[in-house]
Amino acid sequence: MKKSALFAAICVPAFLAAAPLAAKTLVYCSEGSPENFYPGINTTGTSFDVNEHIYDNIVDFERGGTKVVPGLAEKWDVSADGTVYTFHIRKNAKFHSNKGFKPTRNLNADDIVFMFERQWKEENPYFKVTSPNHSYFNDMGMPKLLKSVEKVDDYTVKITLNQPEAPFLSNLAMQWAGVQSKEYADAMLKAGTPEKVDQDPIGSGPFFLVNYQKDAIVRFKAFPEYWGGKAKIDDLVFAITPDASVRWAKLQKGECHVMPYPNPADIEAIKKDPNVTLMDQAGLNIGYLAYQTTKKPFDDVRVRKAFNMAMNKKAIVDAVFLSSGVPAKSPIPPSMWSYNDSVKEDEYNPEAAKKLLAEAGYPNGLETDLWAMPVQRPYNPNARRIAELMQADLAKIGVKAEIKSFEWGEYRKRAQAGEHQMAQLGWTGDNGDPDNFLHTLLGCASAQSASGSNIAKWCHKPFDDLVTKAKVVTDQAERTKLYQQAQVIFKEQAPWFTVAHAVQLKPVRKEVVDFKLSPFGRHTFYGVDLKDK
């Protein structure tokens, strides 16, 4: 395989330069920089893609699917009442090492307990290191759900819940539960540099971090002692390339092998390239505009309904997504179990919207902000354009919407704090369970958390009661009924303007072997190989 100009431009550490010329290097044109290297506080797919190569979980999702399979736990037992989980940890999982630390033992129960306690117990010395905002842990109600996490012996961990939790195993396969080394954490605490645990990560995953330059590159090397067997590729490079058209140009030239989030306008050209395969799959995602329901005017459901009727959803999706998305009427995608197709969509009717706005006390319209995401996602390929189309539609009913945006990390932080009136956001499912959308994004626990994902700040008891009850019911038919009722209430209360569900499209060069699309939109390279052209 030819080496591209990209490799020549990268500063390669001496020990990598000495590697055999036949080493296989896979380059992924990533869309952005990771937030950090601590999975417990990350909320973006960009960070998940990086950290899932460094860390392992107790359980995993099968590659390309939603089925839960063994990870660090070789097997597990669940009590008859569904409240006690006993995990039997494999004995051959080794940790990476770096310049500042060499592990003296394999991964064991202490590390699993540390993963939980770091996010759960405020007295843990690592609770506030890097950030105390453990968004996923809190949004899923883990602090109240967990009764105890105990080390039974070096390779057995017992987790007792306060009540049954239907999606518990699936939740443990998500990125927030990546396991760090407690031995490393203790050593860095003793040295007075606890932050190094999250800056110079040590995990037990299939790749270890070699170097990272913000907004430029993340470089990994295959971990030869990985318990699952060494990766088929030797080096993994994330070439950070925010512009979708630049990613496509690099893919065409062979400067990268896989790219995410192509421009819808480039799809036809991608399909015609003989060196590229365009992989596609119905996405487990939703793009939406959230109304800040605790602030005027959006504390009034009539205003929210008026806005929903004022915006021409079909025109927005046709113009921006082209053939890569379908209009959304529910918070969960049509491919997910419990989707309620009988829910009636808000009709596009500017005249009715004007009347409803007048009825709510705004006969002459109103002024508001409209936050546009600064990054591309499958569920929002061009946020600025979507915002402009929304702005034009709202102007027709007398609403003056000022478009605002911020750097992505700042945008998320401010939106989670509820500083907006209207803000674009979206979600790609993490575990294949409706709970991950309906409770995480719209539940009261998430609305009340300073770092929660419910940026509408919508806490509606009839809805919350349904999605909370659905967590403890194990029968899927019963859970489906509850979630379908919840979708009816969501539509009546309109905390969001649901925009679209995107089709996941992934251009991959033909020399890439056995790359699998993830239903969660992740990019996983363990198991992937490269063949010579």
Side-chain angles (χ1 to χ4, degrees):
M1 195 178 74
K2 291 177 186 171
K3 296 222 170 174
S4 72
L6 175 73
F7 302 128
I10 294 169
C11 177
V12 181
F15 72 91
L16 282 186
L21 291 175
K24 291 179 180 178
T25 302
L26 187 144
V27 182
Y28 167 60
C29 273
S30 162
E31 83 288 1
S33 297
E35 295 159 282
N36 56 70
F37 297 105
Y38 172 36
I41 57 170
N42 292 328
T43 54
T44 68
T46 313
S47 299
F48 296 162
D49 286 343
V50 168
N51 286 327
E52 78 166 49
H53 292 92
I54 298 171
Y55 300 106
D56 281 320
N57 286 45
I58 303 173
V59 291
D60 287 318
F61 294 113
E62 66 178 349
R63 205 159 63 94
T66 60
K67 181 185 173 187
V68 175
V69 297
L72 291 171
E74 294 178 300
K75 58 182 181 177
W76 53 89
D77 313 305
V78 186
S79 64
D81 67 354
T83 61
V84 181
Y85 288 72
T86 305
F87 293 96
H88 305 279
I89 310 302
R90 64 179 68 251
K91 296 176 180 174
N92 62 335
K94 297 180 185 298
F95 278 113
H96 313 152
S97 58
N98 61 24
K99 287 177 189 171
F101 178 77
K102 299 281 185 288
T104 66
R105 61 166 175 80
N106 286 2
L107 183 147
N108 68 22
D110 292 327
D111 307 302
I112 309 286
V113 172
F114 173 65
M115 178 272 290
F116 281 102
E117 293 196 341
R118 177 172 184 187
Q119 302 181 65
W120 183 26
K121 308 275 190 183
E122 289 193 31
E123 66 273 16
N124 186 284
Y126 274 87
F127 184 82
K128 290 184 179 177
V129 172
T130 303
S131 171
N133 293 334
H134 304 105
S135 301
Y136 271 90
F137 192 82
N138 294 329
D139 287 355
M140 293 186 300
M142 284 286 171
K144 288 181 180 173
L145 176 66
L146 294 173
K147 187 174 185 179
S148 63
V149 178
E150 304 166 79
K151 171 185 175 179
V152 177
D153 59 41
D154 278 352
Y155 295 98
T156 312
V157 175
K158 185 170 84 169
I159 300 175
T160 305
L161 309 181
N162 283 310
Q163 61 192 37
E165 173 84 349
F168 185 64
L169 275 177
S170 295
N171 289 345
L172 290 183
M174 288 161 51
Q175 287 293 301
W176 65 270
V179 178
Q180 296 180 303
S181 164
K182 184 176 189 298
E183 187 187 17
Y184 181 36
D186 289 345
M188 293 303 101
L189 193 64
K190 191 176 178 183
T193 55
E195 67 285 350
K196 285 200 170 177
V197 168
D198 301 334
Q199 293 168 358
D200 302 321
I202 284 179
S204 62
F207 295 87
F208 61 87
L209 183 71
V210 175
N211 66 353
Y212 167 53
Q213 295 163 31
K214 193 173 194 286
D215 299 331
I217 194 166
V218 189
R219 182 180 275 275
F220 308 88
K221 195 164 184 63
F223 183 38
E225 296 180 280
Y226 184 56
W227 60 264
K230 181 187 169 293
K232 293 172 184 175
I233 53 173
D234 301 293
D235 298 300
L236 175 61
V237 175
F238 279 31
I240 298 166
T241 314
D243 189 301
S245 57
V246 177
R247 292 198 294 274
W248 168 224
K250 284 184 174 184
L251 194 81
Q252 285 175 287
K253 294 175 193 167
E255 292 181 6
C256 60
H257 298 99
V258 180
M259 66 166 279
Y261 317 135
N263 274 330
D266 290 332
I267 297 302
E268 285 310 307
I270 292 169
K271 285 178 179 174
K272 290 173 185 170
D273 192 310
N275 298 312
V276 173
T277 299
L278 183 65
M279 302 177 75
D280 66 274
Q281 184 183 76
L284 279 178
N285 58 49
I286 174 72
Y288 58 88
L289 179 73
Y291 304 121
Q292 220 288 35
T293 61
T294 66
K295 283 183 178 177
K296 287 191 177 304
F298 299 110
D299 57 344
D300 190 326
V301 68
R302 294 171 297 183
V303 173
R304 304 196 297 264
K305 277 288 194 184
F307 274 52
N308 278 8
M309 289 192 288
M311 292 182 276
N312 189 340
K313 185 178 300 185
K314 186 177 184 307
I316 291 170
V317 175
D318 287 348
V320 178
F321 288 80
L322 305 178
S323 60
S324 68
V326 294
K329 64 178 180 178
S330 171
I332 64 174
S335 57
M336 179 168 268
W337 63 269
S338 82
Y339 179 77
N340 190 347
D341 198 32
S342 66
V343 165
K344 192 172 180 295
E345 178 61 292
D346 295 306
E347 66 169 329
Y348 170 58
N349 189 332
E351 285 309 310
K354 265 188 196 175
K355 285 179 187 170
L356 198 52
L357 211 53
E359 190 185 306
Y362 301 96
N364 303 312
L366 57 90
E367 292 187 9
T368 182
D369 62 31
L370 200 176
W371 289 20
M373 286 168 52
V375 294
Q376 279 183 311
R377 287 289 181 269
Y379 55 71
N380 194 332
N382 187 336
R384 183 83 196 185
R385 180 72 183 125
I386 288 177
E388 288 165 355
L389 292 168
M390 289 174 167
Q391 182 186 50
D393 282 344
L394 291 169
K396 293 171 189 167
I397 65 162
V399 171
K400 184 180 178 186
E402 181 190 356
I403 298 172
K404 294 182 179 179
S405 196
F406 306 91
E407 180 274 327
W408 183 222
E410 190 70 13
Y411 183 99
R412 285 195 57 84
K413 191 167 75 176
R414 288 175 177 238
Q416 286 174 327
E419 293 180 20
H420 58 290
Q421 285 180 290
M422 299 192 294
Q424 294 177 358
L425 210 59
W427 189 259
T428 297
D430 298 293
N431 65 10
D433 196 292
D435 172 77
N436 183 239
F437 284 76
L438 298 172
H439 187 268
T440 302
L441 301 181
L442 292 157
C444 288
S446 182
Q448 290 155 1
S449 167
S451 60
S453 297
N454 183 348
I455 66 161
K457 300 298 176 186
W458 181 64
C459 175
H460 187 67
K461 193 171 186 305
F463 177 93
D464 196 62
D465 287 348
L466 289 168
V467 298
T468 303
K469 184 180 178 185
K471 288 167 79 71
V472 302
V473 174
T474 52
D475 178 63
Q476 190 162 312
E478 180 60 26
R479 294 184 77 208
T480 294
K481 283 180 194 168
L482 295 167
Y483 287 135
Q484 290 188 334
Q485 289 171 42
Q487 288 166 73
V488 172
I489 293 173
F490 166 86
K491 209 65 192 171
E492 290 167 353
Q493 291 294 313
W496 295 350
F497 174 67
T498 51
V499 180
H501 304 294
V503 176
Q504 182 184 181
L505 297 168
K506 206 77 59 185
V508 177
R509 286 192 65 84
K510 291 201 169 160
E511 57 266 32
V512 175
V513 179
D514 205 24
F515 176 79
K516 292 185 186 291
L517 288 180
S518 157
F520 314 121
R522 300 281 64 78
H523 303 92
T524 305
F525 298 103
Y526 181 67
V528 176
D529 203 352
L530 287 171
K531 64 182 177 187
D532 290 330
K533 292 181 203 174

